[in-house]
Amino acid sequence: MIAELDSPDYQGGITFEEFLGAIGNRLGNKKTREGIDKIFDLFDDDGTGTINIRNMKRVAKELGEVLTDAELKEILARAGSNGEDISRDDFYNIMTKKTFG
């Protein structure tokens, strides 16, 4: 899977949406709000209501993915409406491919 993300198509880095697409089938149902909330909760293990770099690192590691801190920070900057972390609403919008911040 990382080899796929390491292709020339992703030379400028990957977005959170691309990251989720690559691991999405391993996470759960992306079709319902309830399913999306369950996936969000898998990331948000500390219960802060947001996905931060620590959450991203843990999920990537659990899935056997290796991403640098710089890559994770870039993903969060692009995906989070505040540029730092991903809220539940940001996550829902990404998962349903709606425009976000």
Side-chain angles (χ1 to χ4, degrees):
M1 177 168 43
I2 285 298
E4 173 186 318
L5 295 176
D6 200 24
S7 74
D9 294 339
Y10 298 104
Q11 294 241 333
I14 66 168
T15 65
F16 185 62
E17 184 175 26
E18 292 162 342
F19 175 74
L20 283 176
I23 64 171
N25 292 334
R26 295 160 73 182
L27 293 176
N29 181 354
K30 300 184 299 184
K31 306 259 187 245
T32 66
R33 180 69 190 223
E34 181 180 301
I36 292 169
D37 283 344
K38 285 181 181 180
I39 297 169
F40 180 87
D41 292 339
L42 291 173
F43 280 88
D44 183 27
D45 66 326
D46 53 7
T48 62
T50 62
I51 298 170
N52 57 40
I53 191 165
R54 190 192 64 73
N55 302 132
M56 292 284 292
K57 271 181 153 173
R58 180 190 50 78
V59 170
K61 182 179 179 180
E62 287 175 2
L63 294 171
E65 306 301 332
V66 179
L67 295 169
T68 67
D69 283 0
E71 289 170 318
L72 293 171
K73 286 178 184 176
E74 182 179 343
I75 289 169
L76 291 169
R78 289 182 181 187
S81 57
N82 68 3
E84 294 179 13
D85 50 28
I86 300 166
S87 70
R88 189 174 294 271
D89 287 338
D90 293 335
F91 190 80
Y92 181 79
N93 290 336
I94 292 164
M95 295 296 284
T96 58
K97 300 197 185 326
K98 295 178 183 175
T99 303
F100 58 93

